[in-house]
């Protein structure tokens, strides 16, 4: 969809990356690093000072003791971090909708995904459906919290139920917590590994991409028990060797930010969510209110498309706004949803809303035209029938 939006010079609300700069302190440090001695390999599982800074930060937020030498591997993005514990033939539970790489990661590991639906509009799971999946004895469950694409934040009660099944069926939990600091009140993020007894069976995966607006730096990490980290080091070493040494050095500055930075980040994204979602509401466009992350699912049923991919292509070509077809994220046959993201400057979001306003107006005008046309053809058909005329073609089809 990014290629499509580039083709039509549309506003890109599809691929989830910010259009504003990372924190100045990180960029300034990167400039300094370019003239320092950080141009060769770092330690394959992460530079020592990076792992120490990361351990200090995550200890504070996760409430767990984290040893930078025993509990951390630095990876090339969080997607790589997730490919650790599964062997060929293993089963992996995946909630649907899901970030599209999860199913592919399972298949690349020669594992079999078991999909469990999250039911709209709140995207809650059914306990029986989830336990039925666990009864198939999966090796792991992938938990994206907050969730991409639906913005769900799992409650402590939901996480405790998942934890009880993990213990009952001896299953690992692989978390994707890349949006851990992008949460909207009154929702709160609970780290799964922080639940009683869960650190030993949790592979906590995340990255610096969203928290510091550096998606292109590809700095991810795993936090897990030592015996899992020992395996993850080998997988990482043979897959990618190591993450970028100069970028790790520059990012240490961000990992050492105080609490104020994360409060400001939450306030920034709360503002952007409110700006964009209030705009959708004023336009009468149906959407699901996100609890976390920076995505919103929009219902396109009113526009009469039965193909969400075609809708997104037309949205970019005709309206000038890029989105992602919802079918990218669902195992179920869902084609009436699309995903926007709002990690954009205010002026870009307002411009997108103006274009969507035009889309609504065109739909309204088209609906009125169709109504008038159908009324006309109904009367014409009655006249022709009454006067025993015959048509050479079905006149109601000509509107197509």
């Amino acid at each position: 969809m990014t290629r499509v939006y580039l083709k039509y010079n549309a506003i890109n609300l599809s691929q989830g990356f910010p259009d504003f700069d990372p924190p100045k302190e990180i960029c300034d440090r990167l400039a300094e690093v370019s003239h320092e001695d950080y141009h060769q390999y770092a330690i394959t599982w992460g530079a020592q000072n990076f792992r120490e800074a990361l351990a200090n930060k995550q200890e504070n937020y996760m409430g767990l003791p984290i040893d930078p030498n025993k509990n951390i591997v630095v990876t090339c993005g969080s997607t790589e971090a997730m490919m650790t514990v599964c062997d060929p033939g293993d089963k992996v539970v995946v909630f649907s909708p899901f970030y599209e790489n999860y199913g592919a990661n399972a298949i690349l590991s020669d594992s079999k995904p078991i999909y469990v639906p999250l039911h709209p509009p709140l995207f809650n799971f059914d306990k029986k459906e989830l336990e039925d999946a666990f009864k198939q004895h999966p090796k792991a469950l992938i938990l994206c919290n907050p969730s991409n694409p639906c913005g769900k934040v799992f409650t402590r009660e939901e996480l405790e139920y998942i934890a009880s099944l993990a213990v009952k069926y001896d299953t690992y939990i692989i978390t994707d917590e890349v949006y851990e600091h992008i949460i909207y009140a009154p929702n709160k993020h609970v780290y799964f590994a922080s639940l009683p007894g869960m650190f030993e069976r949790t592979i906590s995966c995340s990255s610096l991409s969203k928290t510091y607006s550096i998606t292109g730096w590809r700095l991810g990490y795993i936090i897990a028990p030592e015996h899992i980290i020992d395996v993850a080091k080998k997988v990482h070493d043979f897959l990618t060797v190591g993450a970028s040494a100069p970028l790790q050095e520059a990012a240490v500055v961000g990992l050492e930010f105080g609490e104020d930075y994360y409060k400001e980040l939450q306030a920034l994204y709360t503002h952007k969510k409110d700006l964009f979602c209030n705009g959708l509401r004023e336009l009468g466009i149906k959407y699901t209110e996100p609890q976390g992350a920076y995505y919103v699912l929009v219902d396109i049923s009113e526009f009469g498309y039965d193909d969400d991919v075609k809708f997104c292509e037309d949205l970019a070509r005709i309206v000038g706004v890029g989105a992602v077809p919802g079918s990218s994220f669902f195992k179920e046959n869902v084609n009436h949803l699309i995903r926007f993201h709002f990690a954009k400057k205010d002026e870009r979001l307002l411009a997108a809303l103006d274009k969507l306003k035009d889309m609504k107006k065109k739909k309204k005008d088209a609906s009125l035209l169709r109504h008038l046309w159908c009324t006309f053809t109904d009367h014409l058909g009655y006249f022709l029938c009454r006067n025993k005329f015959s048509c050479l073609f079905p006149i109601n089809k000509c509107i197509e």
Side-chain angles (χ1 to χ4, degrees), residues 97-114:
F98 53 91
Y99 172 52
E100 58 265 40
N101 281 17
Y102 298 158
N105 280 355
I107 293 166
L108 283 171
S109 301
D110 202 11
S111 302
K112 177 184 177 182
I114 304 169

Side-chain angles (χ1 to χ4, degrees), residues 187-199:
N187 303 285
K188 296 185 181 299
H189 179 63
V190 177
Y191 293 91
F192 192 87
S194 71
L195 297 176
M198 284 300 107
F199 180 76

Side-chain angles (χ1 to χ4, degrees), residues 189-393:
H189 179 63
V190 177
Y191 293 91
F192 192 87
S194 71
L195 297 176
M198 284 300 107
F199 180 76
E200 288 302 314
R201 61 174 67 250
T202 303
I203 298 94
S204 300
C205 303
S206 192
S207 85
L208 278 60
S209 292
K210 318 298 183 179
T211 301
Y212 305 105
S213 302
I214 49 174
T215 62
W217 289 29
R218 311 307 297 135
L219 293 177
Y221 58 86
I222 304 169
I223 295 175
E226 185 177 6
H227 69 281
I228 294 176
I229 289 298
D230 286 344
V231 176
K233 286 179 181 179
K234 296 174 184 177
V235 174
H236 169 65
D237 197 9
F238 288 115
L239 276 179
T240 62
V241 179
S244 166
L247 297 183
Q248 288 183 67
E249 180 62 28
V252 168
V253 175
L255 293 172
E256 293 175 344
F257 284 159
E259 179 67 21
D260 286 349
Y261 174 79
Y262 302 100
K263 289 181 179 178
E264 291 172 5
L265 183 76
Q266 184 176 22
L268 172 70
Y269 276 110
T270 298
H271 161 73
K272 291 186 179 299
K273 176 188 75 74
D274 291 344
L275 173 67
F276 191 65
C277 289
N278 288 342
L280 293 175
R281 185 181 305 113
E282 290 173 4
L283 293 177
I285 295 176
K286 298 178 182 177
Y287 68 93
T288 300
E289 187 83 20
Q291 300 170 339
Y294 49 55
Y295 306 102
V296 57
L297 288 178
V298 168
D299 189 332
I300 60 169
S301 301
E302 64 174 302
F303 297 100
Y305 280 72
D306 57 8
D307 183 341
D308 56 345
V309 176
K310 175 63 175 171
F311 178 89
C312 286
E313 290 172 349
D314 286 351
L315 187 68
R317 178 174 60 87
I318 300 171
V319 180
V321 179
V324 181
S327 55
S328 304
F329 308 107
F330 286 85
K331 177 62 175 176
E332 301 79 25
N333 185 26
V334 172
N335 53 27
H336 68 286
L337 298 175
I338 63 172
R339 190 197 73 178
F340 288 124
H341 85 88
F342 46 84
K344 295 293 182 188
K345 296 174 184 175
D346 286 7
E347 56 265 33
R348 194 70 57 88
L349 293 175
L350 291 170
L353 288 168
D354 280 343
K355 290 178 179 292
L356 294 175
K357 181 179 180 180
D358 289 341
M359 178 183 71
K360 286 286 290 187
K361 182 179 185 300
K362 288 174 183 176
K363 175 187 176 292
K364 183 178 180 180
D365 291 346
S367 296
L368 177 60
L369 177 62
R370 186 176 186 93
H371 171 74
L372 292 173
W373 178 258
C374 290
T375 300
F376 166 73
T377 54
D378 284 346
H379 283 293
L380 180 60
Y382 175 75
F383 170 79
L384 293 172
C385 180
R386 184 175 181 181
N387 291 277
K388 298 181 180 180
F389 286 98
S390 61
C391 289
L392 297 177
F393 59 89

